[in-house]
Amino acid sequence: MAAKASLLLLLLCAAAALLPVPASAADDGVIKFKVYFHDVLAGKSPTAIRIAEAAATKGSSTFFGAMVAIDDPLTTTPAATGSAKSKDEVGRAQGTYTFADQATFGLLMNMNFVFTAGDYKGSSLTIYGRNEVLSAVREMSIVGGTGKFRMARGYVQASTVDNGAGETVVEYTVYVNPAATA
Amino acid sequence: MAAKASLLLLLLCAAAALLPVPASAADDGVIKFKVYFHDVLAGKSPTAIRIAEAAATKGSSTFFGAMVAIDDPLTTTPAATGSAKSKDEVGRAQGTYTFADQATFGLLMNMNFVFTAGDYKGSSLTIYGRNEVLSAVREMSIVGGTGKFRMARGYVQASTVDNGAGETVVEYTVYVNPAATA
Amino acid sequence: MAAKASLLLLLLCAAAALLPVPASAADDGVIKFKVYFHDVLAGKSPTAIRIAEAAATKGSSTFFGAMVAIDDPLTTTPAATGSAKSKDEVGRAQGTYTFADQATFGLLMNMNFVFTAGDYKGSSLTIYGRNEVLSAVREMSIVGGTGKFRMARGYVQASTVDNGAGETVVEYTVYVNPAATA
């Protein structure tokens, strides 16, 4: 009887020891999905507009000092939008990017992904980091969010899929841990 | 005797299983308080001044592309300040907001709440997120802080309480977990 | 026998209770190191250039509203660089700072430390917070990172070591927890 009880306790203790490991919880809770970011720089309705620069920016081959405000469509496919509202739009990327590198196109990204349709409608992700746009894969941090993503952490990986006339399309793969509430 | 010891162990094991769950620790440690944010846009001493915009901003009904620097009073009551230092000032909101939405007044907020009086004197909170100013309640993320709030996480909820001539008063309810050091 | 088994269980339970405390894990994992930040404001090749300001900025003794883009060298020693690439350069600080205080030199810092040499080559840290430049020690938050610092958290402490003609050298002590993946 005592031995049986002890075995039960051993199992309970083992369970107690295994349950609350934060790292595995984090690994398990990560959600992964893709969105396509459309930076429309030209045409009738650009979604990315330059708002500031230094006097020296005009002489910089990397646009050092230029700051751009964006309200860029996020869609589920890479098809160019021409800034028109597409049927596969799931949100907008809103914020700024600043050319902050004298040697290459290295941007400081400050933006929210604001979801208006799909699984994450009504939620947002807050993104911050460096975007070296000529690299194949760039990573930025997810530092917060709202709705389903309140107190989320994670990262995004960006790859340019099309750099056409006036519209740059970038695939963003999102890795987000909405359970990271600690 | 063995049965009694086993009961004790069962209780200990149960305690061990319950104690270290990060989520409950996070829930327990959250501090909640309110401050009133005063965005003084007009008058002799505005605390919010426009520092950048695109050529296209003047034609935008949502001020798309305008960026504003702020050093806005934070007080314990919603009474208008007229930008004078009020006796209930507990700090300042310092940073920038950028109009980053072509369809509504959707701001990218980048600011620190810098506390100079009261319970959190000498501490600061770092806030980042989207503020859709016509919504009843807007949520932004707390992504860091100093002093009592070093490595804090949490969020703020903002509601406009007065949108008077030249001064917008916004109630910020702060939910902050200063124990989020992991 | 039952007593022996119970003693073993007691030890196991105690271990279960002690093991997964996140705070001690965080304390143990913190990496500390120093870099020197060179803000070159004058000369042939400034690394910090003003990109925006309000009309009122010119009348402000604290430059309220001025925004500066930076691509500042980070080195392992405090020797002035004159903006030339020094042999002890380990990276760059890229981003913006904004004068956001009407009473003192209080900056909103938004920058990435991008490491290009040394132990953290290929990694980056994302930094956000307030920098009151006349204070002896200023603290800002680490809110993210890439490479070895993916999902890192932590803080930096900044102290000006030289404020010479055209180049300000600031010692940054970095406290970063790369294991903060929860």
Side-chain angles (χ1 to χ4, degrees), chain C:
Chain C
M1 156 68 194
K4 265 193 203 166
S6 294
L7 183 64
L8 178 65
L9 287 171
L10 187 61
L11 292 170
L12 281 169
C13 285
L18 289 172
L19 265 176
V21 180
S24 69
D27 291 347
D28 291 348
V30 171
I31 294 171
K32 178 182 170 185
F33 62 95
K34 286 184 196 294
V35 286
Y36 295 87
F37 168 103
H38 300 262
D39 205 43
V40 183
L41 295 152
K44 263 197 259 181
S45 301
T47 62
I49 56 178
R50 190 175 297 198
I51 65 170
E53 64 182 17
T57 301
K58 286 188 210 316
S60 165
S61 60
T62 60
F63 306 144
F64 179 48
M67 175 177 266
V68 174
I70 60 171
D71 178 15
D72 283 354
L74 295 172
T75 66
T76 53
T77 69
T81 65
S83 93
K85 173 141 187 174
S86 88
K87 66 177 176 7
D88 59 0
E89 181 174 313
V90 290
R92 309 289 287 199
Q94 299 182 334
T96 60
Y97 57 77
T98 306
F99 290 83
D101 195 308
Q102 295 170 291
T104 186
F105 297 104
L107 309 180
L108 174 78
M109 304 294 290
N110 280 292
M111 61 182 174
N112 297 301
F113 278 7
V114 183
F115 296 100
T116 54
D119 289 349
Y120 307 113
K121 184 179 175 176
S123 297
S124 70
L125 286 170
T126 297
I127 293 166
Y128 185 7
R130 179 171 184 255
N131 185 359
E132 189 183 342
V133 296
L134 299 183
S135 295
V137 181
R138 298 87 71 176
E139 186 170 313
M140 290 152 264
S141 297
I142 294 171
V143 300
T146 61
K148 286 183 182 172
F149 299 129
R150 178 186 281 177
M151 296 181 78
R153 300 207 70 210
Y155 54 96
V156 296
Q157 290 182 327
S159 296
T160 302
V161 291
D162 189 23
N163 205 334
E167 178 168 347
T168 302
V169 181
V170 182
E171 181 186 84
Y172 272 81
T173 307
V174 177
Y175 299 85
V176 60
N177 181 5
T181 51

Side-chain angles (χ1 to χ4, degrees), chain A residues 31 33-37 68 70 72-74 91-98 107-115 120 123-132 138-146 149 151-159 170-177, chain B residues 100 107-110 126-130 139-143 153, chain C residues 109-112 124-128 143-146 151:
Chain A
I31 295 169
F33 63 95
K34 285 184 196 293
V35 286
Y36 295 87
F37 169 102
V68 174
I70 59 170
D72 283 355
L74 295 174
R92 310 289 286 199
Q94 300 182 335
T96 61
Y97 58 75
T98 306
L107 308 181
L108 174 79
M109 305 293 291
N110 279 293
M111 63 182 173
N112 297 300
F113 278 7
V114 183
F115 295 100
Y120 307 112
S123 297
S124 71
L125 286 171
T126 297
I127 292 166
Y128 184 6
R130 179 171 184 255
N131 186 358
E132 189 183 342
R138 297 88 71 177
E139 185 169 314
M140 291 153 263
S141 298
I142 294 171
V143 299
T146 61
F149 299 129
M151 294 180 80
R153 300 207 70 210
Y155 55 96
V156 296
Q157 289 182 330
S159 296
V170 183
E171 182 186 83
Y172 272 81
T173 307
V174 177
Y175 299 86
V176 59
N177 181 6
Chain B
L107 309 181
L108 173 78
M109 304 293 290
N110 280 293
T126 297
I127 293 165
Y128 185 4
R130 180 173 184 253
E139 186 169 314
M140 291 152 262
S141 298
I142 294 171
V143 300
R153 299 209 69 210
Chain C
M109 304 294 290
N110 280 292
M111 61 182 174
N112 297 301
S124 70
L125 286 170
T126 297
I127 293 166
Y128 185 7
V143 300
T146 61
M151 296 181 78

Side-chain angles (χ1 to χ4, degrees), chain A residues 9 12-13 46-47 49-51 70-71 92 94-95 110-112 114 126-127 143-146 150-153 180-181, chain B residues 2 6 9-10 13 17 20 26 52-54 64-65 67 98 100-102 108 128-130 139 141 143 153-155 157 180:
Chain A
L9 287 170
L12 281 170
C13 285
T47 63
I49 57 179
R50 191 176 298 197
I51 64 170
I70 59 170
D71 179 15
R92 310 289 286 199
Q94 300 182 335
N110 279 293
M111 63 182 173
N112 297 300
V114 183
T126 297
I127 292 166
V143 299
T146 61
R150 178 185 281 176
M151 294 180 80
R153 300 207 70 210
T181 53
Chain B
S6 295
L9 287 170
L10 186 60
C13 285
E53 64 181 17
F64 179 48
M67 175 176 265
T98 306
D101 195 307
Q102 294 171 291
L108 173 78
Y128 185 4
R130 180 173 184 253
E139 186 169 314
S141 298
V143 300
R153 299 209 69 210
Y155 55 97
Q157 290 183 328

